[in-house]
Amino acid sequence: MIYDVIVVGSGFSAIAVTCNLIEQLPASATVAVVGDDPGFGRGTAYRTELYLHRLNVPAGRMSLMPHRPDDFVDWLKNRGRRLQAGDFASRSDYGLYVRDTLAQLLRKRDGRCRVDFIRAKAAGCVERYNSTLAFHLGNGDEIAGKTVVLCLGVGNANLPVDPAGVPLSMRSRIVENPWRLSWLRRVASSDTVCILGSGLTMIDQVLALRAHGHRGRIEVLSRRGLAPLGHASKPPAPLPIEVEALPATISGILKSLREMAKSVDDWRSLMDGLRPVTQALWQRLSNQERARFLRHALPWWNIHRHRVAPDVFDSFDKLVSEGTVRFHAGFLQSLGAEEGRLVAGYRVRATPEIAEIRPDWLVNCTGMERAGISHSPLLKEMRRFQLIAADPLGLGIQVDAASEVIAPSRISPARLFAVGALTAGQFWEITAVPDIRVQAKAVVEAIVAQRPAPEA
């Protein structure tokens, strides 16, 4: 079948695009949503059922539709959640809200476009003579679309070293995907746990361990030993920032921001002032300066920019202060086992010294892999046919300012867009809901604007 629009993916980006398509396309239009994730729209982040796993953005900025800013807060109130716009809701509630929003749109039978949900993996893509892009599906079917929106997210990053040195009998003590929370039930209360990575996922897993009765020591190993900071209980007003007044080099920008920070009582006002202009700031940088940012400034950007709810930070900080959670800065070099325990050998940061951590469990919380082509057979196939091109810094694929894919040799008039993490090379800050929802709406508006006018 030939569809007007095909949405490829099953995470938050896909559901945001789909909801906007339902709202904006006429009843005569047809949409296919292709993805093999049974938890459509919730993704990894919003599928967790643990109440401790909280959003890192206040509820008032998490509505699925940017033109209805109170939508999520109203949804919470209607379900008896006593939360205000400045509070941090659970991720589980947000996943339910997203699913409810889609279901409500689909219940409108009159005047909405046709939407087919196809539970299958898109395995390949080719151009067709009828001005479409056709997708070969894992179930053997083929569909084609006049417009395609790629909403492919990223998966968990792999372990930084091969665990081949660990006996098979102990491999189950290595948790490669921490979001499969069943592993928590197997951890004894006094076991020592080593967590690789010190970002937001690490904090989630530390609190999940505590909620499941774990009282043992937790060793955190990351390259720099940095952890996310907390939001303020009473957020300061954002500091207005003029992008054009800033230098076009990372060193120059940092110098200017340090000067600005001296004029505010709370550094968070500076970071919150950067939030709405981050994409514009990124787009002014040359590829050389962007690469410099990724090499040197990214870890500090992450801990200041991507913060945790105030009470979550307080709970975590208490565990650090009392010594339950300990940080190690270094590079994992080897994994083995000895005397019934895992052995993680790492090079201590800025030294040639090799140290060891001997835990009962090793948990991979190094985060999500950087958006790119290598993790997706579909994207690799599309690159082979030159339907897409990789971002030069490995931040997804090349798109223009309107999120339309820049293809080296595509000849079909079919339009191809990308939304979400795949467009990080163009937009950088494009993995959180406040940014993705705006992008999804803009892409759908561009699709609708170029549809042929109905016949009189």
Side-chain angles (χ1 to χ4, degrees):
M1 179 172 175
I2 298 175
Y3 289 89
D4 290 303
V5 184
I6 295 177
V7 180
V8 182
S10 50
F12 176 79
S13 298
I15 207 169
V17 170
T18 302
C19 287
N20 276 279
L21 287 168
I22 296 171
E23 281 204 339
Q24 297 187 45
L25 285 177
S28 59
T30 56
V31 175
V33 185
V34 181
D36 64 346
D37 189 339
F40 175 69
R42 300 185 73 178
T44 300
Y46 309 129
R47 195 177 302 154
T48 175
E49 298 297 332
L50 191 63
Y51 72 96
L52 288 169
H53 288 163
R54 225 80 81 60
L55 298 173
N56 301 312
V57 176
R61 291 175 42 218
M62 289 292 288
S63 290
L64 183 57
M65 299 297 192
H67 52 287
R68 295 199 295 271
D70 299 327
D71 197 41
F72 181 44
V73 175
D74 290 342
W75 183 93
L76 290 167
K77 290 179 180 177
N78 291 336
R79 281 150 187 80
R81 311 295 198 265
R82 297 180 179 178
L83 295 174
Q84 304 300 316
D87 294 329
F88 296 82
S90 74
R91 295 186 188 180
S92 176
D93 272 349
Y94 191 72
L96 294 174
Y97 156 73
V98 168
R99 199 158 63 181
D100 281 357
T101 302
L102 175 62
Q104 185 176 10
L105 289 169
L106 291 172
R107 280 195 292 268
K108 296 180 180 179
R109 298 293 181 184
D110 297 331
R112 74 160 174 83
C113 61
R114 170 181 170 177
V115 182
D116 293 340
F117 292 89
I118 303 173
R119 187 174 292 184
K121 186 181 286 293
C125 178
V126 295
E127 295 180 277
R128 289 293 190 223
Y129 63 88
N130 54 7
S131 302
T132 64
L133 289 172
F135 288 88
H136 305 299
L137 306 183
N139 61 9
D141 292 341
E142 180 178 295
I143 60 173
K146 301 170 186 176
T147 298
V148 173
V149 187
L150 297 174
C151 298
L152 301 173
V154 293
N156 291 316
N158 294 325
L159 285 167
V161 299
D162 190 340
V166 178
L168 290 176
S169 60
M170 294 189 66
R171 292 280 178 89
S172 63
R173 296 283 182 119
I174 299 176
V175 182
E176 298 198 41
N177 183 357
W179 292 108
R180 295 171 184 160
L181 295 179
S182 59
W183 71 274
L184 291 166
R185 295 193 295 268
R186 297 185 285 125
V187 179
S189 62
S190 60
D191 282 352
T192 297
V193 178
C194 176
I195 295 180
L196 299 179
S198 59
L200 297 170
T201 303
M202 176 272 297
I203 293 181
D204 283 338
Q205 300 308 316
V206 167
L207 297 183
L209 280 164
R210 301 297 287 183
H212 279 75
H214 179 257
R215 296 297 180 264
R217 198 168 65 249
I218 300 174
E219 311 285 358
V220 179
L221 173 62
S222 68
R223 292 187 175 188
R224 291 175 176 82
L226 301 171
L229 299 171
H231 285 284
S233 298
K234 295 182 179 179
L239 180 70
I241 294 176
E242 293 290 336
V243 173
E244 297 301 326
L246 292 173
T249 64
I250 291 299
S251 57
I253 290 170
L254 287 175
K255 182 178 179 180
S256 297
L257 294 180
R258 289 189 183 106
E259 288 299 314
M260 291 183 198
K262 296 176 182 178
S263 67
V264 296
D265 295 327
D266 190 326
W267 56 267
R268 295 172 184 83
S269 64
L270 175 62
M271 294 305 299
D272 290 345
L274 279 171
R275 183 185 59 78
V277 300
T278 299
Q279 291 186 1
L281 188 58
W282 175 261
Q283 289 168 354
R284 293 181 70 232
L285 298 176
S286 66
N287 277 342
Q288 183 180 17
E289 290 300 319
R290 292 178 183 181
R292 187 168 287 120
F293 169 82
L294 295 174
R295 284 197 306 271
H296 303 297
L298 180 57
W300 283 269
W301 168 264
N302 282 339
I303 66 170
H304 289 86
R305 171 69 180 87
H306 302 290
R307 307 190 293 273
V308 296
D311 57 331
V312 171
F313 178 79
D314 290 343
S315 298
F316 176 76
D317 194 47
K318 181 181 178 182
L319 295 174
V320 175
S321 299
E322 65 189 26
T324 301
V325 176
R326 301 193 303 185
F327 284 85
H328 306 264
F331 301 80
L332 185 67
Q333 301 284 296
S334 62
L335 277 178
E338 191 174 296
E339 298 179 352
R341 285 196 160 191
L342 299 169
V343 180
Y346 70 96
R347 179 171 62 81
V348 179
R349 183 171 180 81
T351 77
E353 177 188 352
I354 301 296
E356 289 182 347
I357 300 173
R358 293 177 171 248
D360 297 290
W361 296 84
L362 184 85
V363 186
N364 180 22
C365 291
T366 52
M368 310 303 282
E369 60 187 350
R370 187 172 289 176
I373 293 175
S374 61
H375 75 280
S376 168
L378 171 64
L379 294 180
K380 287 193 286 188
E381 184 78 354
M382 293 181 75
R383 180 176 58 181
R384 187 167 73 87
F385 285 104
Q386 295 190 306
L387 300 175
I388 61 172
D391 173 77
L393 296 178
L395 299 175
I397 62 178
Q398 293 184 33
V399 299
D400 62 19
S403 302
E404 192 155 7
V405 173
I406 300 171
S409 65
R410 185 159 55 88
I411 58 175
S412 168
R415 302 187 76 189
L416 179 61
F417 293 87
V419 169
L422 279 178
T423 64
Q426 173 69 246
F427 301 109
W428 177 240
E429 285 281 294
I430 200 64
T431 57
V433 167
D435 302 302
I436 293 174
R437 64 180 185 176
V438 172
Q439 184 188 31
K441 186 172 185 290
V443 165
V444 171
E445 287 172 348
I447 292 171
V448 173
Q450 289 215 351
R451 279 180 58 82
E455 295 182 4

